[in-house]
Structures are given as structure tokens and as C-alpha cells.
């Protein structure tokens, strides 16, 4: 059990997140976004002890009522040839009754202080248009360009889009897809060299991600594909020879069509090895900005090579 550090501030109390706060997280998420998340999913997401630290973040409480929350997720990363721990900016939410009080910035600064104290070297993430000004102007995050999204259209019935809109059918459909995918499950190679600065595809990292719903597919002689699903088949990473890239994508499109997905999507860092290979054949569209903040000057970067598989929503 993680001890809870408490700090008082005017009418609110600030507490470090811990296992006792899953129901608070669930309630606040539903209040802010209208979506109910299962306790098991929250537990799996924040169970990062195997990476060296866990429960890095804070809640703001008004009495017993959760007012705001900010947390980061520790991940293993190789930076400039060194194996370190970085943290990914994850869930940010403030109840409508408490907005305009600077809670996001306050909780973020407290969280970064805690992460640095426990040994993390930097924080990174992909702010959306609503949170971008805060990260850029008030938290001094640095930009590394826009992620590149490669979209491969698939001719099929849009079953995933239909079932996504029906709550009861959605769960059944995605469990069926996961079941079908797991019949093709393979082991993603763990000895692939990290592209300059990035997250190694270790078996512990992929196991953590699998608990959130991703699968490593064996695609025969072409290699392996790490994928996740929403209304699309999302590629987290590939293990294939350059000469087999087009056949690999073709194979994934065939599977996507069989499972009712009209798109296969692969999001990669700008200028990364995957971006260079894919851009030889396909045109990308710009996605979210890749940003980070170093906790000390030794971790100022020129690039950070990640994929959509590294998003906390994958």
C-alpha cells in the first residue's frame, strides 16, 4: 500500500494517488467525461511497480469529494544509450465546479516534483488542443514536432463503428475481436534496437500493455505486429523486414476487413525510422504534438521516437 502524502491549501486537500482511490478516479472520470471505467482497467493502468515506481500523481479533494486529478505513468526508456525511467502524462481532469482555480497546473507541478524525486528523468506526452496551452505556456514543455498518422483504408462492413455506439454490443464485439486476435498471438522480439531515444519493446512492457487490451499478432513469414483496437485497428509497432513492409500492411488490412475495421492506423514520431520507411510509399497526416519536459539538463532531447502504441490510451 502506498502511503498518502497530504498537503493543505485553502479549502482543498491534496493527496497522492493510491490503490484506495480507484473509486474516486472512476467517479471523477464519469463526471468529467460521461464515461464509466471499470476498476480493473484503472488498476491495470496504474500498476507500474515493475518499472520502478507507481502511483505518481495527486488528487485534489473538497472534503470527500474529488475535485481534480493529475497523474503520470512510469515507463522504461532508453535515452542517449542509457536505460532510465520516464513518465508519461496521463489522466488530467477537473470537476466543472472547480475549474478556473489553477488546479491542473498545481497538480502537474506537484506530480513532476514527485516523479523527479523518485528517479524519473523526464515527462512526455501528447497534449490535445485544450491542454496544449497549459503544457506549453505554464509548464514550459518543449516540442518535438507533430506525430505522423498513416491511415490505410479497408473495404469492409463497418461493424466496429456500429457496435461502438451500442454499449451492450460493444463489449461483446471487442471481446470477440480480442479472442480472435489471441488465436494469432505471437511474441514480439525484445532484441530490436531502440531507434535513438524511445521505449524498448520488452516483454514486461508488452505484458503491461496487453493488460490494457493490446495483442502481438503473428503474421506468418512477414513478422509480428503489435496492435490495439477501437473503431480502427491500431498498430503499435511492427517487426518485419523493410522488403516485407507492404505485404505486412496488406496482411493487416486483410485481418482488419475480416474483423470489421475500415481503417488500419499507424502513428509514429516525425523523422523516425518508421516515418522514413512509410513515407516512401504513403502520405501521412499530422496528429498530436509530441512534447516533453526534462527534469535536468542532461535530458534535453532533439528527438523522441515513439508510436501510437505508447499512448496511454493504447
Amino acid at each position: 500500500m502506498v502511503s498518502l502524502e497530504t498537503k493543505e491549501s485553502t479549502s482543498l486537500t491534496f493527496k497522492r494517488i493510491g490503490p484506495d482511490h480507484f473509486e474516486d478516479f472512476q467517479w471523477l472520470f464519469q463526471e468529467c467525461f460521461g464515461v464509466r471505467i471499470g476498476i480493473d482497467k484503472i488498476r491495470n493502468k496504474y500498476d507500474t511497480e515493475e518499472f520502478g515506481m507507481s502511483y505518481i500523481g495527486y488528487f485534489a479533494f473538497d472534503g470527500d469529494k474529488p475535485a481534480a486529478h493529475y497523474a503520470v505513468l512510469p515507463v522504461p526508456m532508453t535515452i542517449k544509450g542509457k536505460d532510465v525511467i520516464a513518465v508519461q502524462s496521463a489522466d488530467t481532469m477537473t470537476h466543472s465546479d472547480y475549474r478556473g482555480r489553477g488546479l491542473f497546473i498545481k497538480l502537474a507541478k506537484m506530480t513532476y516534483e514527485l516523479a523527479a524525486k523518485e528517479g524519473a528523468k523526464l515527462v512526455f506526452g501528447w497534449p490535445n488542443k485544450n491542454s496544449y496551452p497549459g503544457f506549453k505556456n505554464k509548464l514550459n514543455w518543449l516540442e518535438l514536432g507533430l506525430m505522423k498518422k498513416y491511415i490505410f483504408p479497408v473495404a469492409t462492413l463497418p461493424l466496429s463503428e456500429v457496435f461502438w455506439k451500442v454499449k451492450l454490443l460493444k463489449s461483446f464485439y471487442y471481446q470477440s475481436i480480442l479472442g480472435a486476435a489471441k488465436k494469432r498471438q505471437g511474441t514480439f522480439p525484445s532484441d530490436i534496437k531502440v531507434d535513438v531515444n524511445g521505449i524498448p519493446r520488452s516483454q514486461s512492457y508488452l505484458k503491461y500493455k496487453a493488460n490494457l487490451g493490446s495483442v502481438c499478432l503473428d503474421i506468418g513469414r512477414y513478422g509480428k505486429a503489435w496492435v490495439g483496437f477501437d473503431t480502427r485497428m491500431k498498430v503499435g509497432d511492427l517487426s518485419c523486414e523493410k522488403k516485407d513492409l507492404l505485404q505486412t500492411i496488406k496482411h493487416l488490412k486483410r485481418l482488419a476487413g475480416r474483423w470489421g475495421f475500415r481503417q488500419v492506423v499507424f502513428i509514429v514520431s516525425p523523422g523516425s525510422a518508421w516515418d522514413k520507411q512509410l513515407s516512401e510509399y504513403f502520405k501521412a497526416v499530422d496528429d498530436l504534438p509530441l512534447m516533453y519536459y526534462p527534469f535536468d539538463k542532461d535530458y534535453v532531447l532533439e528527438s523522441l521516437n515513439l508510436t501510437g502504441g505508447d499512448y496511454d490510451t493504447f
Side-chain angles (χ1 to χ4, degrees), residues 99-147:
R99 290 172 187 163
R101 298 175 61 172
L103 288 175
F104 161 55
I105 301 301
K106 181 176 180 63
L107 290 172
K109 289 181 176 179
M110 292 171 62
T111 297
Y112 301 162
E113 181 181 353
L114 174 63
K117 181 180 178 181
E118 296 216 354
K121 302 304 182 184
L122 60 91
V123 59
F124 69 96
W126 296 271
N128 60 32
K129 63 181 181 180
N130 295 322
S131 57
Y132 174 88
F135 283 106
K136 175 70 174 177
N137 301 322
K138 296 185 178 181
L139 295 173
N140 301 315
W141 278 38
L142 306 175
E143 297 184 62
L144 293 171
L146 297 172
M147 297 292 283

Side-chain angles (χ1 to χ4, degrees), residues 118-190:
E118 296 216 354
K121 302 304 182 184
L122 60 91
V123 59
F124 69 96
W126 296 271
N128 60 32
K129 63 181 181 180
N130 295 322
S131 57
Y132 174 88
F135 283 106
K136 175 70 174 177
N137 301 322
K138 296 185 178 181
L139 295 173
N140 301 315
W141 278 38
L142 306 175
E143 297 184 62
L144 293 171
L146 297 172
M147 297 292 283
K148 301 300 177 182
K149 181 191 291 184
Y150 290 88
I151 302 173
F152 311 109
V154 179
T156 189
L157 292 174
L159 296 179
S160 62
E161 297 167 32
V162 173
F163 287 115
W164 188 265
K165 299 176 183 178
V166 183
K167 185 176 180 180
L168 293 177
L169 296 179
K170 174 182 173 181
S171 177
F172 171 78
Y173 176 73
Y174 281 91
Q175 288 303 314
S176 299
I177 294 300
L178 282 176
K182 287 179 180 178
K183 290 180 180 179
R184 295 175 170 272
Q185 190 164 353
T187 300
F188 204 83
S190 60

Side-chain angles (χ1 to χ4, degrees), residues 31-98:
E31 288 292 310
C32 292
F33 305 117
V35 177
R36 183 173 179 81
I37 297 182
I39 293 294
D40 286 344
K41 185 172 182 178
I42 301 169
R43 180 183 295 109
N44 289 340
K45 185 172 184 177
Y46 283 91
D47 183 12
T48 60
E49 185 61 40
E50 64 183 316
F51 301 142
M53 61 183 76
S54 59
Y55 302 111
I56 308 297
Y58 288 91
F59 268 101
F61 284 96
D62 185 355
D64 293 331
K65 178 182 178 182
H69 168 275
Y70 181 71
V72 295
L73 299 171
V75 295
M77 188 172 281
T78 300
I79 300 293
K80 299 178 181 179
K82 297 180 180 179
D83 294 332
V84 301
I85 299 297
V87 291
Q88 178 180 171
S89 183
D91 299 295
T92 303
M93 45 190 170
T94 302
H95 193 281
S96 58
D97 292 344
Y98 301 91

